[in-house]
Amino acid sequence: MSDAESTAGNDFVRQIIRADLEAGKNDGRVHTRFPPEPNGYLHIGHAKAICLNFGAARDFQGLCNLRFDDTNPAKEETEYVEAIQEDIRWLGWDWEDRLYFASDYFPQLWEWAIHLVKKGKAYVDSLTSEEIREYRGSLTEPGRESPYRNRSVDENLGLLEQMKNGELEEGACVLRAKVDMTHANVLMRDPAMYRVKKETHHRTGTTWNVYPMYDFAHGLSDSIEGITHSLCSLEFENHRPLYDWFNENCPIPSVPRQYEFARLSLEYTIVSKRKLIRLVDEGHVDGWDDPRMPTIRGLRRRGYTPAALRNFCEKVGVARNISRTEMALLESCVREDLNRVALRVMGVLDPIKLVIENWPEGQVEELDAINNPEDESAGSRKIPFSGELWIERADFMEDPPRKYFRLGPDREVRLRWGYFVTCTGFDKDDAGTVTCIRCTYDPETLGGNAPDGRKVKGTIHWVSVAHALDAEVRLYDLLFTKADPEEGGDFVQNLNPDSLKAITCAKVEPSLAAAAADIPYQFERTGYFCLDSKESADGSLVFNRTVGLRDSWAKAKKKQGGQQKKKERRPPPPRPS
RNA sequence: UACCCCGUGGUGUAAUUGGCAACACAGCUGGUUUUGAUCCAGCUAUUCCUGGUUCAAGUCCAGGCGGGGUAGCCA
């Protein structure tokens, strides 16, 4: 991509970084971090954050850390820690040796908590959680100070020690920052810093009975790591004053700054961990890696490539506007990458037999086929051709409409890489369904050109019946029927019942016996596919359609159909009698 | 009803910070093509509204209107 032409790379975050660099801030350092909580799998919204953090660091010769924000042992698991790392690496990013955990900083954080208590900036509150809520006031009314707000430093320290040692029960008390109970920003009304939780932590085990809250831990963790630009989504905007407050009131090694950007929102899907969990738990999808899921693993299994996802993240941009991106952009990104790299093969999804009546009995020819017209180095392969072929049912019409370029009675088309064939007839069953198409071929047209220079309008794909491999092909549609799945209340009600269509009788060319999950294919004229990593076993092929090819014929047909309907609806013109 | 944030083509982002509204996607036309793919060319905007400052406003100011966030011992 030519940087000069692109609007990417000049988002507001990078503009801030550029300005900071010019002003000589942070000794010229740029250091970001991606801070996932290990309580679920990563989705495409995370991909945007990952590409922003790692990408901005890369653009300015900076560094980006991976830090697990594991401050809540009740929700977090090691399984996710592994999966998240795998997904980020697959996406193509590298944190080198800078893998951190907020839990690594528990001792330091505790020290700073004590520091704040000693400075009279924090206190142990013994109000219940309900009382705290009442005392907090409302959005329009100021809060009231807790009766425990002015406990002595020594009393606070003693209580703190008891909290830490597990001598106090969960909910009995909480450590709060002493900020301002009348602050217009509710988050500043003495926010909780530590709560008692007698929970086993995935890394620190039972060492701690108290765990820090996000607001207290996050900015200080950023400081410990020397983060310069702490990027997060817009919902943390109101937290920024608190972020700064903790950093201003603790003896920290460096001063990070928080900047918020709008999280990714995509039409016809949901990008929220909580909601994705529901889809999995309630069995609406196959799991976190269901190819319909907008998770990194789902997209990967579907056949999306890291390059496509990175490109998408670049193209959606980074801003503070709340927006919803069209699926078409994601699809165009994956088509762009797959067009470059996918191996072309032939596969027939809805097979109908084509018999070449003048083909020499029993003869099989090996035809040359180019593997990728976009990449000469991909070479070519041989495909077996014979007198009985499978072709696509949609490539034949008994009574073709105008501008239909494919097969019909007496029509001639090219068989890809093969010969011209002319339809001489067809068979039907009792139900009127076409069961077989009869043709003759022109032996002079091997390779697809006629020596007499005559042209055909259409080229269709095929697979030799005797050599075809059986395959299951899974076609995916949008997971939801509404651009905004929340429309009308519960998103589950807007699930698309037709989001998965499995075709079990597809026929594919024999070279696909060597298919592997990480090789992208283009089934010519139908779409991009990849072998399903989970469902395919030896001798059984299951392909996922990553995305269809653009199809201007389908579009034209649809348009024509619309016009047809309009015409039908129009009342007939009055006849002169 | 308190505080904060955001309004630029159908969609998403730009506009060198006050100087001819650009790029991508989508859509529509047409061309090339042994994939109706790819590729190529062309077309598609009173910058939410009203007023103000200025030679000049998407950009600055004032007032509206609209959308969003915030009252977890979640992150």
Side-chain angles (χ1 to χ4, degrees), chain A residues 129-146:
Chain A
S129 57
E130 297 82 60
E131 287 168 331
I132 287 184
R133 192 182 341 113
E134 285 163 26
Y135 274 75
R136 187 153 35 223
S138 74
L139 294 178
T140 50
E141 297 158 318
R144 283 141 50 218
E145 296 189 350
S146 164

Side-chain angles (χ1 to χ4, degrees), chain A residues 113-306:
Chain A
I114 289 170
H115 171 85
L116 288 177
V117 168
K118 286 181 177 166
K119 271 176 52 179
K121 299 267 191 181
Y123 62 98
V124 174
D125 197 347
S126 301
L127 250 29
T128 65
S129 57
E130 297 82 60
E131 287 168 331
I132 287 184
R133 192 182 341 113
E134 285 163 26
Y135 274 75
R136 187 153 35 223
S138 74
L139 294 178
T140 50
E141 297 158 318
R144 283 141 50 218
E145 296 189 350
S146 164
Y148 302 100
R149 199 176 200 256
N150 294 311
R151 290 216 252 229
S152 70
V153 169
D154 285 344
E155 191 185 355
N156 278 322
L157 256 18
L159 253 12
L160 213 48
E161 195 59 23
Q162 288 179 42
M163 283 170 70
K164 183 184 164 198
N165 296 337
E167 293 159 30
L168 294 169
E169 294 311 306
E170 289 189 20
C173 58
V174 67
L175 180 69
R176 301 178 72 179
K178 195 185 283 185
V179 186
D180 179 359
M181 288 306 291
T182 65
H183 205 289
N185 182 341
V186 186
L187 287 165
M188 296 295 272
R189 322 238 258 232
D190 291 10
M193 293 165 56
Y194 269 95
R195 74 285 213 190
V196 177
K197 256 187 201 296
K198 299 188 175 177
E199 200 90 43
T200 303
H201 187 275
H202 75 114
R203 301 197 88 227
T204 62
T206 54
T207 307
W208 296 86
N209 294 294
V210 284
Y211 292 93
M213 300 288 292
Y214 167 87
D215 284 309
F216 178 64
H218 199 88
L220 296 175
S221 300
D222 282 341
S223 172
I224 291 169
E225 293 180 18
I227 300 303
T228 54
H229 303 265
S230 182
L231 312 175
C232 61
S233 51
L234 239 31
E235 71 253 48
F236 290 101
E237 198 177 332
N238 294 340
H239 295 243
R240 196 183 338 129
L242 233 197
Y243 181 100
D244 290 336
W245 191 91
F246 284 122
N247 278 148
E248 278 159 18
N249 287 285
C250 294
I252 54 164
S254 77
V255 183
R257 291 290 171 210
Q258 173 183 302
Y259 301 95
E260 312 85 20
F261 61 93
R263 66 188 328 167
L264 175 72
S265 177
L266 245 190
E267 285 186 349
Y268 298 98
T269 193
I270 45 176
V271 189
S272 147
K273 237 190 274 182
R274 211 193 81 245
K275 290 169 193 161
L276 292 174
I277 284 171
R278 240 189 100 190
L279 291 182
V280 174
D281 287 351
E282 295 179 11
H284 301 296
V285 294
D286 200 19
W288 286 98
D289 63 348
D290 186 300
R292 293 166 295 181
M293 289 281 273
T295 50
I296 308 275
R297 297 164 105 75
L299 291 161
R300 179 180 181 178
R301 189 168 156 207
R302 171 89 168 246
Y304 275 75
T305 57

